[in-house]
Amino acid sequence: DTGVSQDPRHKITKRGQNVTFRCDPISEHNRLYWYRQTLGQGPEFLTYFQNEAQLEKSRLLSDRFSAERPKGSFSTLEIQRTEQGDSAMYLCASSLEQGSYTFGSGTRLTVV
Amino acid sequence: QQPVQSPQAVILREGEDAVINCSSSKALYSVHWYRQKHGEAPVFLMILLKGGEQKGHEKISASFNEKKQQSSLYLTASQLSYSGTYFCGTEPWDTDKLIFGTGTRLQVFP
């Protein structure tokens, strides 16, 4: 297993455009998490899945954000009508239930 | 709700020791510790699951005081490779996700 993969590594988009990120977790892991991190801050929780079920979504997450995990495998995070405040590193992590997190390398989003 | 870490930053010479603290306002089921180097993803160090539990990982160890909702990370005889930002991730009893702390930036110089 090659760990958690995220694609793309970098994304530059114009304000108002939609973007989609992909995360491929470790295959044995049933939990998948999305976090957002800005410079100098700790990862901020966005949402998480257990298998294909989305169990929790941050109240800070506006309705412009949506995530899916069809068939309990890879996951996508979509941001609609991007704003400059969405610029951040988007981290995906996977784990077994109540186990350690393995993070991907992240997708760095820049909204111009 | 975000756990508070102290100190915010530490500067060490190789071979010196450091302690990083993590304090939560919520009752905790577990505490995780991660290290993140600049431009890289956080990397898992250890999990502490029970009150008073102490675990070790070579010269890095940690303790968890469940009653005080606090955890401490101990780095002894620091090495250059210890440089990075350390985050605690706390798992309250009422949730299944980690809430990460404010971070402690550690720099080790020769």
Side-chain angles (χ1 to χ4, degrees), chain B residues 68-97:
Chain B
K68 292 186 177 181
Q69 298 161 189
Q70 294 174 345
S71 178
S72 295
L73 185 71
Y74 306 94
L75 301 107
T76 58
S78 59
Q79 304 169 13
L80 295 176
S81 61
Y82 286 5
S83 294
T85 302
Y86 289 77
F87 293 101
C88 63
T90 56
E91 184 183 8
W93 281 94
D94 60 355
T95 184
D96 287 328
K97 65 179 187 289

Side-chain angles (χ1 to χ4, degrees), chain B residues 59-71:
Chain B
K59 294 178 181 176
I60 301 175
S61 62
S63 63
F64 175 28
N65 187 320
E66 187 180 359
K67 290 182 180 178
K68 292 186 177 181
Q69 298 161 189
Q70 294 174 345
S71 178

Side-chain angles (χ1 to χ4, degrees), chain A residues 1-6 23-29 94 102-105:
Chain A
D1 201 330
T2 56
V4 178
S5 299
Q6 291 190 245
C23 172
D24 287 271
I26 292 174
S27 55
E28 300 83 22
H29 287 178
S94 68
T102 301
F103 282 88
S105 298

